[in-house]
Every structure is written in C-alpha cells, then in structure tokens.
Amino acid sequence: MARQLARGTGFGQASANALRRRQPRPGDKCHLDEVFIKINGEQKYLWRAAVQDGNVLDILVQNRRETAAARRFFRRLMTTTGGVPRVVVTDKLRSCGAAHREVMPSVGHRSHKGLNYRAENSHQPTRQRERAMKGFRSVGGAQRFLSAFSGVPPHFRPRRHLMTASENRAEMTIRFTTWQQITGVTGRLTAA
C-alpha cells in the first residue's frame, strides 16, 4: 500500500471524489467554521463546512476572514453541494451573518458558539496531518491536499459507538474492499 501511495495512485482527488459519490446524501444542516493555518509563515484562514454527522462538505483556504471571504465560501458551498441547506450553523463571526443575509436569505441561520462543535471537531484530522507534514508550503498545495484529504478519513472511521465489535469488523472489511476497488489496488494484486 505504501508503494501505491508513493506512486500517487492510492490517494488523490479522484479517490476522494469516488468515496464522496458512494456516501449517502448529506443532511440538511450545515456547520461552518474557519480556523487559522500557517502557510510559509503567513497566517491564512481555512474555511470548512461539515454536515451534522461530521463529514466535510467543502473547504476553502483564503487570505481574509471578512464578509467578502464568507460570501465567496457560501457561493462555493452552494455550487459544490448543488443545493441549499435547511439550516446553517456558524460561530459568532459577524461576517458569516452578513454574507448569509446576502447569499442565502431564505435559509435559517443559527449563530452560537456551542452549536458549532461539528465543524470545530472536523478540524482535528487536518491539524494532525499539518503537524505530520510539518506545515503547508503554498496556498494551492494546501487547498488541493485538504480538499482530497477531507474525503478519505471519514471512510475509515465508521460510527464505532453505534456498533458491536463483530459489526465493526464486518463494516471495516467492506470499507477496505471499497477502498481497494476505488484505488485500483485489487486489479494490480491479482495481475501480479
């Protein structure tokens, strides 16, 4: 598997897109948040949208945290998901409220620090990868990597607390088989 990853065939945007296509339709509640990241010593903002089950819908790396940046992210989110959520949950950032009123006024908006824990928790895998990679080198590289990476970890993290041990083993077997089909590892192993 390490050899496939080194060659670039086991992980990438195509694999992440294939995993996203196999997921059920996202819920109607969207949690939005932004976090600071350092890219080449400069502070940037990573905007992230997650659904109620914690899966990431979209990310965007931007220079600012103002209303125009929030507006750009809202528009990109609507384009990416192909629809409008029923409710948008954000933290207390005022630029999100202003952009929400402009871009999607018919959608409900809840702005509360305690309600936005889904988006806050979705930052953890990104922080772990950022530390492992010793930071990002460019904005484009961070955007490409994180948009691909955000689709892969949820595939290997089923909702374990809702399953018995035998159900978890069966689900993980199915998920690894799916991963091998998507990345093309199965065909290469049988050919060798």
Side-chain angles (χ1 to χ4, degrees), residues 28-97:
D28 59 352
K29 187 185 286 188
C30 187
H31 298 263
L32 302 176
D33 192 33
E34 76 288 334
V35 69
F36 303 100
I37 59 172
K38 289 266 187 180
I39 297 177
N40 263 352
E42 293 181 28
Q43 182 171 298
K44 305 290 182 188
Y45 300 95
L46 175 66
W47 294 74
R48 181 183 303 267
V51 289
Q52 60 253 38
D53 61 358
N55 289 340
V56 176
L57 287 175
D58 197 15
I59 66 154
L60 183 62
V61 179
Q62 299 191 77
N63 291 330
R64 297 181 181 249
R65 199 169 72 150
E66 61 195 7
T67 305
R71 190 180 316 123
R72 189 176 308 119
F73 184 61
F74 279 130
R75 286 190 180 127
R76 177 185 164 110
L77 179 64
M78 287 177 15
T79 304
T80 305
T81 59
V84 179
R86 180 182 55 86
V87 176
V88 173
V89 180
T90 63
D91 54 4
K92 295 268 187 189
L93 186 65
R94 290 182 183 262
S95 61
C96 285

Side-chain angles (χ1 to χ4, degrees), residues 12-180:
Q13 191 64 50
S15 301
N17 290 341
L19 285 176
R20 283 193 186 103
R21 279 192 298 272
R22 290 175 181 243
Q23 289 179 351
R25 293 210 28 96
D28 59 352
K29 187 185 286 188
C30 187
H31 298 263
L32 302 176
D33 192 33
E34 76 288 334
V35 69
F36 303 100
I37 59 172
K38 289 266 187 180
I39 297 177
N40 263 352
E42 293 181 28
Q43 182 171 298
K44 305 290 182 188
Y45 300 95
L46 175 66
W47 294 74
R48 181 183 303 267
V51 289
Q52 60 253 38
D53 61 358
N55 289 340
V56 176
L57 287 175
D58 197 15
I59 66 154
L60 183 62
V61 179
Q62 299 191 77
N63 291 330
R64 297 181 181 249
R65 199 169 72 150
E66 61 195 7
T67 305
R71 190 180 316 123
R72 189 176 308 119
F73 184 61
F74 279 130
R75 286 190 180 127
R76 177 185 164 110
L77 179 64
M78 287 177 15
T79 304
T80 305
T81 59
V84 179
R86 180 182 55 86
V87 176
V88 173
V89 180
T90 63
D91 54 4
K92 295 268 187 189
L93 186 65
R94 290 182 183 262
S95 61
C96 285
H100 171 264
R101 285 189 295 276
E102 290 176 27
V103 176
M104 48 177 102
S106 63
V107 175
H109 180 233
R110 296 188 185 141
S111 176
H112 190 274
K113 188 170 178 63
L115 291 176
N116 208 20
Y117 66 93
R118 294 280 185 204
E120 297 288 345
N121 287 338
S122 71
H123 292 303
Q124 291 176 356
T126 302
R127 290 290 188 205
Q128 291 168 351
R129 287 304 309 166
E130 183 182 15
R131 278 193 300 274
M133 294 171 64
K134 298 191 177 17
F136 299 112
R137 305 295 181 260
S138 68
V139 173
Q143 178 72 42
R144 281 189 304 276
F145 174 77
L146 292 172
S147 61
F149 176 72
S150 65
V152 176
H155 179 71
F156 293 106
R157 269 193 242 119
R159 303 187 76 188
R160 174 68 180 97
H161 64 285
L162 300 175
M163 300 181 203
T164 63
S166 59
E167 290 171 343
N168 183 49
R169 283 191 294 274
E171 180 66 25
M172 290 307 292
T173 302
I174 292 168
R175 289 183 182 217
F176 274 105
T177 304
T178 303
W179 176 255
Q180 289 173 349

